[in-house]
Structure formats: C-alpha cells, structure tokens
Amino acid sequence: MIPSDVKATLSFSDGSPNMDLPLYKGTIGPDVIDIRKLYAQTGKFTYDPGFLSTASCNSTITYIDGDKGELLYRGYPIEQLATSCDYLETCYLLLYGELPNPAQKEEFVARVTNHTMVNEQMQFFLRGFRRDAHPMAVMTGLVGAMSAFYHDSTDINNPEHREIAAIRLIAKMPTLVAMAYKYTVGQPYIYPKNDLSYAGNFMRMMFATPCEDYKPNDVLVRAMDRIFILHADHEQNASTSTVRLCGSSGTNPFAAIAAGVACLWGPAHGGANEAALNMLEDIQRNGGVAKIGEFIKQVKDKNSGVKLMGFGHRVYKNYDPRAKLMRETCHEVLDELGLHNDPMFKLAMELEKIALEDEYFVARKLYPNVDFYSGIVQRAIGIPVPLFTAIFSLARTVGWIAQLNEMIGDPEYKIGRPRQLYVGATARNVKPIGER
Ligand code: ACO
C-alpha cells in the first residue's frame, strides 16, 4: 500500500477532537481511508452493512473497474486471457502472479493432472446423500469432507500444505462435480482420463458411460474452458470474502473452500445462472417472447419481488466484460450444435434487447452479467440446470484458494471480526418463569 499525501480529517459536531486518517493508494482504483485506529481513538465504529464503501483487504490478484466494465487478473485483461490462454494457465497466473512459460505450464499441468482422482472412499460418503439432493448441497459436503481425506495438507500455516491443498482442490473439483452428477442420474462414476485437457476430461467424466465413451468436441470444450476462465476469480465478492473470513480463523483450506461453495449457492451470487435459466424457462412456458412485456412490468414493480435474473451487479455499472465474452461463446456453441433457432436463446436475446432500452434498467445501470449467458451455453452443452452453480464453484476454486493463500501470507492478517451497532434491549433481569 502506498501512503498518499492527502489526509482525511474526521470532525464531530459535538466538540470531540478531530481525527486525521491516513489514505493509501492502490496501483489503480480508488484510494482507501485507513480507519484501523478509529475505535481506539474515538470509541466509535464505522457502519457499512453490505460493504458498500469498505475495502476488507489489499490484494494483488484481481482488479475490476465497474464503471468501465474492466476486469484484470494480475493486470491482464480478461478478454486477452479468454482468447489467448487456457484455464490451467489462468490458474497458474492467479496462484503465482505470472503466466507460465512452456516448461512451467507443462510441469503445472502434470502436477494438477496427477491429482485428478479422489480417494475411493469418497464414493461411499457420496452414497449417504439422497439421489435428488441439490448438487450444491452435495458439493458443500464433499469439499468439506476433503479435509477428512487429505490430512497431510490441512495446516494453513504451512506453505507446503497450502500449495498441495491448492493443487488437490483444482485437480479434484471436476471429478467431484461429475461424481455429484452421475450420482443424481444413477450412472456409474467415470474415472478421470489424464491424456485429456482439464475441460475435456471434465466433460468426459460428465457424459461418458462405461458402455459409450464421450469424444470431446473442440468447440464445446473451448466453451467450457472459457466458462472456467471467466469465473476463475472476481476479487472480494461474497463467496471469496466468506473464504477469507472462514480461513482467517486458521481453519484448513478444504473447510474454508467449502464455506465458499455454500455462499456461492445463493441466487444473488453463483445461483443466479440457475435462476436465470429457470426464469427463461418460466417465461417460455407462459407464452414466450409475446409475454416479455408483462414480465418486465412485474420486474419493475417493487412489490412483486420479481427480479430479472442475470442482470445487475454490485460492482459493474456497465456491461459485464465476461458477459460480452460469454455472449460470443454462446453464438459459437449454438452454431456448432445447429441450435441458433433455439427458442430459449431467441427469448434471451429479446429480453436483453428490451431491458437494455428500458428506462428502469438504463437509469439503474443494470446490464446483463455473465450468468445471463453462461446458463444458455451450459444448457446447450447438455449440462443439467441444477449443476450450473456447481460448475461455477469448480471454476472459482482457484480464485478462492489464491485469495486465501494471499491472506495467510500477508503479515498484517488477523482473524476477521466485524463489529456492530447494537439496537436491542439494554441489560435487564430474567424473571422467574411464572412471572413472564
Ligand atoms: N432486476 C430488477 N431490478 C434490479 C435488479 C434486477 N436483476 N438488480 C438490481 N435491481 C434494482 C434494485 O431493485 C434497486 O432499485 P431501487 O434503486 O429502485 O431500489 C437498484 O436496481 C439497485 O440494486 P441493488 O439491489 O441495490 O444492487 P446490489 O448491488 O445490492 O445488488 C445484485 C446486486 C444482487 C447482483 C442484484 O443486481 C441482483 O439481485 N441481480 C439478480 C441476480 C444476479 O443476476 N446475480 C448475479 C450476480 S453476478 C455473479 O454472482 C456472478
């Protein structure tokens, strides 16, 4: 953090002394006001539910300019990474700070590939779930359970443990997601095949059966790989902040990532891709394109509780750059599969067009986010809707682990412990039960 020449002064109208607060500069983006000594010096807390104005940490990993619609991983624009690199190169970049050279890439890919199998015992653990359990419920359990299987990488304070836990998590998430899927449909698990690419291997574990192999299609594999890249990290979003907070207690990396999976599940976050597709299916069922006007009316009515899923973002007040790339991928996939006349895609296009022109959305700077398109792409590939968020969790695991490791390596790191404005009852005495 670079100290700024500017200082902020906090003054109070009740005559309490002013307090000077230091400012720090980042390499890009807004400066921060350092309030760490505020409570000690004034006896007051700051109040910022939802973290609208609060930086919870400093980080070198991901930068978002929400007004410009810009996303950088370690300084590289997402558009360049999505078109010039694959997911495992992106993982290397997020974990170690630089893109790999060919030798580094080969070694990293070999290391990840070497860890794609999960402990055989894991399938018996999986059997305890109902067949119709939501994949995110299963994933929360499976990822949490990893700490019971890999005892030699659970010490968060040991850099070697953190490194091996990172590799294991990146390598095993595709296997676990595919197992969660196979369990739901009652098919045998398909073991990883290490001569395939990361995305290709995942798709084969999803779609092959013991009686029929799956030949990965290049366009679809590239689309899946792009989904992974676009979801790999997104600075201090809800699930990443959850992972950091959970990890700040010193818990093991698998437990911290399981907390991230649980947070991601919510429809305001990773669950939005599933919710967006369910929304499109609902509109389709109830009259399709002809009913968009009616649906938009409902969305604009605050009492209806209806939101246009896949639209809006806390940080992006411009087109989400990931949505642009996903839109492009969507066209490629639908072309490849001859699905361009797919009614769901047409509906999504029409909905996007109407929303982008509507005063309600324009005034609030609500644009499509990545989830608006990723659902359509995944559905076209053949991924069942309830699995969308699990795939997001697979892709985001590298971001979570990079952020967790960054936090643990930061000499300033402390257990996360927010404070509150207490507005409940003041101290009172318990009455005997007969007098209450
Ligand atoms: N549909 C209709 N209105 C919306 C939407 C939407 N999708 N999103 C925001 N608004 C409205 C709000 O009602 C609010 O209106 P008001 O000012 O009249 O009260 C205004 O736009 C500002 O929205 P906030 O809710 O204050 O924005 P916030 O930053 O808290 O929420 C969020 C962001 C949660 C993503 C929200 O836009 C939303 O729920 N979107 C739909 C779910 C979704 O797609 N989530 C995916 C996020 S991206 C990701 O996780 C990969």
Side-chain angles (χ1 to χ4, degrees):
M1 294 198 298
I2 312 154
S4 164
D5 297 337
V6 180
K7 290 217 167 1
T9 303
L10 188 63
S11 61
F12 301 90
S13 59
D14 64 358
S16 307
N18 288 356
M19 181 182 175
D20 280 342
L21 296 161
L23 260 80
Y24 292 103
K25 288 177 166 309
T27 41
I28 29 174
D31 296 349
V32 297
I33 303 170
D34 181 352
I35 55 158
R36 280 176 290 182
K37 295 196 175 134
L38 183 72
Y39 178 56
Q41 292 191 11
T42 67
K44 291 176 175 55
F45 298 136
T46 56
Y47 182 63
D48 187 17
F51 298 93
L52 295 176
S53 298
T54 298
S56 61
C57 61
N58 69 75
S59 179
T60 59
I61 303 175
T62 293
Y63 175 74
I64 304 171
D65 184 327
D67 293 322
K68 277 207 261 173
E70 180 180 60
L71 170 61
L72 311 175
Y73 292 166
R74 303 279 191 186
Y76 294 111
I78 191 68
E79 293 80 0
Q80 291 183 28
L81 293 168
T83 46
S84 308
C85 300
D86 64 25
Y87 178 66
L88 284 183
E89 284 171 75
T90 309
C91 288
Y92 187 98
L93 173 70
L94 288 169
L95 286 176
Y96 308 117
E98 294 298 337
L99 282 167
N101 63 28
Q104 288 165 331
K105 181 176 176 185
E106 194 181 330
E107 202 249 322
F108 182 69
V109 171
R111 214 146 37 107
V112 170
T113 307
N114 201 28
H115 284 277
T116 48
M117 282 205 304
V118 297
N119 189 300
E120 197 66 2
Q121 203 58 18
M122 204 63 138
Q123 59 176 284
F124 304 113
F125 176 71
L126 190 58
R127 264 189 213 164
F129 288 97
R130 281 171 58 136
R131 293 267 176 194
D132 61 355
H134 192 283
M136 285 302 276
V138 175
M139 286 307 294
T140 311
L142 290 184
V143 176
M146 282 177 79
S147 47
F149 287 97
Y150 304 104
H151 294 144
D152 57 343
S153 51
T154 52
D155 179 2
I156 210 162
N157 295 312
N158 180 328
E160 272 175 36
H161 282 214
R162 295 204 297 270
E163 168 70 12
I164 183 70
I167 300 292
R168 279 184 171 144
L169 277 157
I170 294 166
K172 295 180 198 305
M173 281 299 274
T175 315
L176 294 179
V177 173
M179 283 172 80
Y181 170 61
K182 289 296 194 190
Y183 184 72
T184 334
V185 290
Q187 289 181 5
Y189 306 123
I190 301 294
Y191 287 99
K193 197 160 186 295
N194 286 350
D195 58 355
L196 293 175
S197 68
Y198 187 86
N201 178 43
F202 170 63
M203 291 170 78
R204 184 179 166 275
M205 287 191 289
M206 285 283 300
F207 300 126
T209 65
C211 33
E212 206 167 315
D213 205 359
Y214 173 80
K215 298 263 173 309
N217 166 312
D218 284 349
V219 175
L220 305 190
V221 169
R222 210 169 41 241
M224 187 52 77
D225 196 72
R226 183 173 275 193
I227 290 176
F228 295 163
I229 294 175
L230 299 185
H231 289 85
D233 195 47
H234 215 225
E235 54 119 308
Q236 307 313 318
N237 57 83
S239 57
T240 301
S241 299
T242 301
V243 169
R244 280 187 179 252
L245 192 59
C246 184
S248 78
S249 72
T251 192
N252 73 74
F254 305 110
I257 302 303
V261 175
C263 177
L264 189 75
W265 191 359
H269 191 11
N273 49 19
E274 178 177 348
L277 210 93
N278 286 337
M279 172 193 79
L280 290 174
E281 279 174 351
D282 258 7
I283 306 175
Q284 190 66 28
R285 256 194 311 275
N286 293 316
V289 174
K291 293 287 174 184
I292 291 181
E294 217 171 276
F295 176 72
I296 295 278
K297 221 180 194 173
Q298 270 186 314
V299 168
K300 293 187 328 195
D301 172 8
K302 283 280 146 65
N303 299 320
S304 72
V306 178
K307 277 198 165 171
L308 180 50
M309 299 313 284
F311 261 69
H313 197 275
R314 169 61 61 79
V315 183
Y316 293 120
K317 302 302 169 198
N318 201 330
Y319 214 103
D320 178 341
R322 302 168 303 169
K324 272 191 198 146
L325 291 156
M326 199 37 78
R327 194 175 197 266
E328 200 180 282
T329 299
C330 196
H331 282 284
E332 275 171 27
V333 166
L334 295 175
D335 275 349
E336 175 69 13
L337 298 173
L339 289 175
H340 240 115
N341 286 325
D342 176 43
M344 200 72 82
F345 182 61
K346 283 191 165 164
L347 177 68
M349 289 305 190
E350 197 54 31
L351 194 56
E352 185 199 33
K353 188 166 158 277
I354 291 172
L356 287 175
E357 287 165 0
D358 191 294
E359 174 53 24
Y360 174 94
F361 295 91
V362 174
R364 289 170 179 76
K365 298 187 177 171
L366 299 171
Y367 293 88
N369 58 52
V370 64
D371 290 327
F372 191 70
Y373 287 106
S374 70
I376 303 171
V377 174
Q378 291 185 67
R379 179 175 166 273
I381 290 177
I383 308 279
V385 178
L387 214 72
F388 291 179
T389 315
I391 290 178
F392 188 165
S393 74
L394 178 177
R396 182 55 59 83
T397 293
V398 66
W400 289 330
I401 200 93
Q403 299 267 354
L404 178 66
N405 288 350
E406 181 181 64
M407 180 189 76
I408 305 294
D410 181 350
E412 290 197 345
Y413 122 80
K414 288 187 180 349
I415 185 167
R417 181 32 170 116
R419 304 304 296 262
Q420 63 170 9
L421 176 65
Y422 178 68
V423 293
T426 52
R428 50 188 174 157
N429 293 320
V430 175
K431 288 184 184 156
I433 191 158
E435 291 174 29
R436 284 177 226 156

